[in-house]
Amino acid sequence: SSWNNANPRYHAPRVAGQTYNYLVAALTGYQNGERNRPSMRAQGESLSEADIRDIAAFLSSLKVAE
């Protein structure tokens, strides 16, 4: 892949094309500490509920190349 992960030792899952509900749950989990990946939690803590819904809507609308 041409995308470079900031931490190459950590496998980052593909989020494009995931379901809206999964993405809302994941981002909310980072926001409230239920998910504890430090770099994602730092991002999630700064998101509003509207931000989470907007991000989830965008990412779930993306097509994934097979």
Side-chain angles (χ1 to χ4, degrees):
S1 162
S2 62
W3 182 78
N4 291 320
N5 186 349
N7 183 350
R9 290 171 283 177
Y10 176 75
H11 171 72
R14 188 176 302 234
V15 294
Q18 289 285 352
T19 67
Y20 173 85
N21 289 335
Y22 169 82
L23 292 164
V24 167
L27 291 170
T28 301
Y30 288 119
Q31 181 186 51
N32 65 23
E34 290 175 4
R35 289 182 175 221
N36 61 7
R37 181 82 187 140
S39 59
M40 287 300 297
R41 183 156 185 214
Q43 298 301 314
E45 288 176 340
S46 69
L47 299 174
S48 70
E49 289 183 27
D51 291 336
I52 288 174
R53 289 191 304 268
D54 290 345
I55 292 167
F58 173 73
L59 290 173
S60 66
S61 74
L62 297 176
K63 300 288 184 205
V64 178
E66 302 211 13

